[in-house]
Amino acid sequence: MKTVDAKGQNCPIPVILAKKEIDAGETDFVVEVDNKTACENLQRLAESQGYLAAVEADGAIFRIAFSKG
């Protein structure tokens, strides 16, 4: 599964990176961020695009797994 490293990036950069994956046709990928706001925004993006978003928190790192189908 592809992992997008967006740690250290403020919104909207993590959302833009995730949207690029969606637009490229990726159906399963993970975005890693280090702030709660980006995590919440990525969950909203997933929902709006018909993806499921599973969040895993490891300390200050959030892994949002996007999956579709």
Side-chain angles (χ1 to χ4, degrees):
M1 183 179 303
K2 184 171 185 177
T3 299
V4 177
D5 183 359
K7 295 186 295 289
Q9 302 291 325
N10 292 321
C11 275
I13 301 301
V15 172
I16 291 169
L17 294 174
K19 184 70 166 84
K20 284 183 182 180
E21 297 302 318
I22 291 168
D23 290 346
E26 291 289 337
T27 56
D28 295 289
F29 61 96
V30 173
V31 181
E32 293 183 341
V33 295
D34 58 4
N35 68 77
K36 184 72 172 165
T37 301
C39 179
E40 292 167 354
N41 289 339
L42 286 164
Q43 286 177 283
R44 280 194 287 277
L45 172 67
E47 183 178 311
S48 74
Q49 299 294 311
Y51 282 73
L52 295 176
V55 178
E56 178 184 308
D58 182 15
I61 304 299
F62 299 94
R63 292 174 47 87
I64 302 90
F66 285 67
S67 62
K68 187 172 193 175

